[in-house]
Amino acid sequence: MDRSEGFGEGLLGQLLDQARGMPPQLVAPLVAEAARAVGGRDVSILLPDYGQVMLVPLPGRGLVAGDPVPIGSSPAGEAFLRTTTVESPQAEGIRMFMPLPDGDPGGVLAVTLADVNDDDRALLRRLAALVADILTTKNGYTDQFARARRRAPMSLAAEIQWSLLPPLAMTTPQVSVAGILEPAYDIAGDSLDYALDDDILHLAMIDAMGHGLNAAVLATVAIGAYRHARRAGVGLAELYAYMDAAIDQQFGPDHFVTAQMMRLNVGTGDLEWVNAGHPAPLLIRGHHVLQTLDSPGTLPVGFGGDTPQISRRRLRRGDRVLFYTDGLVEEHRAGGELFGEQRLIATVERVGPRGGSVRAMVRSLSDALMEERGGATTDDASLFLVEWHGDAVKQPDATAEVDRSGRPPSGRQKG
């Protein structure tokens, strides 16, 4: 079979042309046909379930259904977590697992070939990238992929929260991010958002007070206000003030949201953040927690009228910053003992050396924390990890400084 570069370009171009305007239910046979054209068989598209515990097969004509496979202990899971192709020898060929690049829902494309050469590997990587783009596009107007990913009933509050979230992993040459939310099918008050605009990575992580639907509605307004202010191009002080006013005006003085708003210059490694009643993030360097990124306190969003305190730090190449919600450290162990920050730090340092990519570390850390807590999750417990890879120009050593002046928020003051 001709697997030349021209053949591959023609195949991918044909797949792209056919995918335009095609209804979601025909994606499966289209991908299966493309894989067969390069000599592949037993084609599967594996999507992560919402808890990032299993990879579940996407149903569809031409695809192998099969059983879900564990992310933590399978070749497909390794490809997903480490975002690298995994080859598994089989009795009648080689089973190829290609990660579907960043996007929503993400996942793995699995194909078996009789033999594999470098041209095949390159073509399959491109095919997986194209499949990821097709799935991301079609995901916007179908429930097919969401239904396939569910392995348990989902609460209404969780339904609302998942509809707000961006893709939970992103990798660029300068920065990588990955997150996980627990309990995945009953999450309510925790949420996060991020955007990469030119050289600035924006990030917010929030924890709305309360539980259930009320917390989900509160979180929805908080994230909506964050996005609205962020897209207006305001600074962190004004962004905090806008969110604060939105929560106060909509819900009154008895409702609030703890929040962490961050901006990272991915060209220089300069990090700035406002901590509004949230647990301090952890700075991880070389698999060790270098320090907690403590900062002057700012009142939670919704209390009204506080002057936001902006903290600053310059990261080193390879530094990771772990954001988390208080459900991780306030969980009670048997006998009433809080899990606590020190136990979290110890778990991070134990998991770090085997963590690999940010997505792999977040998954391993979530598993380890769940085990440490005895399997208990009585409150929302979320993680979000950011790694700065560095710019082309070598950066100077990290220095830490805190700006305690901040800027007064615009808008109303609360008496």
Side-chain angles (χ1 to χ4, degrees), residues 388-413:
W388 184 59
H389 304 306
D391 197 31
V393 178
K394 185 176 181 181
Q395 302 300 320
D397 286 348
T399 58
E401 62 179 4
V402 173
D403 180 350
R404 297 179 180 269
S405 61
R407 286 187 290 170
S410 57
R412 56 87 184 100
Q413 299 282 327

Side-chain angles (χ1 to χ4, degrees), residues 288-354:
H288 296 286
V289 176
L290 186 67
Q291 67 181 91
T292 58
L293 293 178
D294 295 314
S295 57
T298 297
L299 288 176
V301 174
F303 277 0
D306 197 15
T307 300
Q309 303 296 311
I310 301 175
S311 302
R312 295 183 173 89
R313 172 94 192 195
R314 173 162 286 188
L315 301 182
R316 286 183 180 176
R317 187 188 308 271
D319 277 355
R320 292 178 169 183
V321 181
L322 179 67
F323 300 88
Y324 62 95
T325 57
D326 61 11
L328 280 173
V329 293
E330 293 183 356
E331 186 67 57
H332 284 76
R333 293 167 62 88
E337 179 189 0
L338 286 177
F339 184 76
E341 182 186 84
Q342 290 305 310
R343 189 172 282 112
L344 170 62
I345 291 173
T347 306
V348 169
E349 294 187 337
R350 176 167 55 85
V351 169
R354 65 173 189 266

Side-chain angles (χ1 to χ4, degrees), residues 52 168-169 177-181 192 358-359 362 383-385:
Q52 296 187 40
L168 287 182
V177 303
I180 193 165
L181 281 72
L192 60 88
V358 290
R359 175 180 269 172
V362 162
L383 295 165
F384 197 77
L385 184 64

Side-chain angles (χ1 to χ4, degrees), residues 211 331-332 376-380:
H211 300 278
E331 186 67 57
H332 284 76
T377 303
T378 58
D379 191 11
D380 294 351

Side-chain angles (χ1 to χ4, degrees), residues 89-165:
Q90 307 287 315
E92 298 180 355
I94 298 176
R95 187 74 168 160
M96 304 286 292
F97 299 94
M98 285 77 59
L100 303 179
D102 300 330
D104 193 14
V108 173
L109 174 65
V111 181
T112 299
L113 281 79
D115 59 85
V116 181
N117 59 37
D118 288 343
D119 290 337
D120 297 327
R121 294 182 178 94
L123 180 55
L124 288 172
R125 284 196 299 269
R126 294 174 182 173
L127 175 61
L130 183 53
V131 169
D133 288 342
I134 294 172
L135 291 178
T136 298
T137 300
K138 304 300 182 183
N139 190 44
Y141 49 88
T142 184
D143 291 331
Q144 179 184 3
F145 307 148
R147 284 197 300 266
R149 297 175 63 196
R150 296 189 183 195
R151 303 190 65 249
M154 183 174 286
S155 69
L156 176 56
E159 190 81 62
I160 293 172
Q161 290 303 85
W162 280 102
S163 70
L164 289 175
L165 292 171

Side-chain angles (χ1 to χ4, degrees), residues 142-229:
T142 184
D143 291 331
Q144 179 184 3
F145 307 148
R147 284 197 300 266
R149 297 175 63 196
R150 296 189 183 195
R151 303 190 65 249
M154 183 174 286
S155 69
L156 176 56
E159 190 81 62
I160 293 172
Q161 290 303 85
W162 280 102
S163 70
L164 289 175
L165 292 171
L168 287 182
M170 177 192 72
T171 299
T172 74
Q174 292 172 307
V175 68
S176 294
V177 303
I180 193 165
L181 281 72
E182 292 284 359
Y185 295 93
D186 200 29
I187 198 80
D190 283 8
S191 194
L192 60 88
D193 193 40
Y194 67 87
L196 182 59
D197 297 329
D198 295 324
D199 283 341
I200 303 299
L201 173 67
H202 306 263
L203 168 67
M205 192 170 199
I206 70 163
D207 183 359
M209 66 167 287
H211 300 278
L213 190 57
N214 288 338
V217 173
L218 186 57
T220 299
V221 174
I223 290 295
Y226 169 73
R227 288 175 176 168
H228 186 67

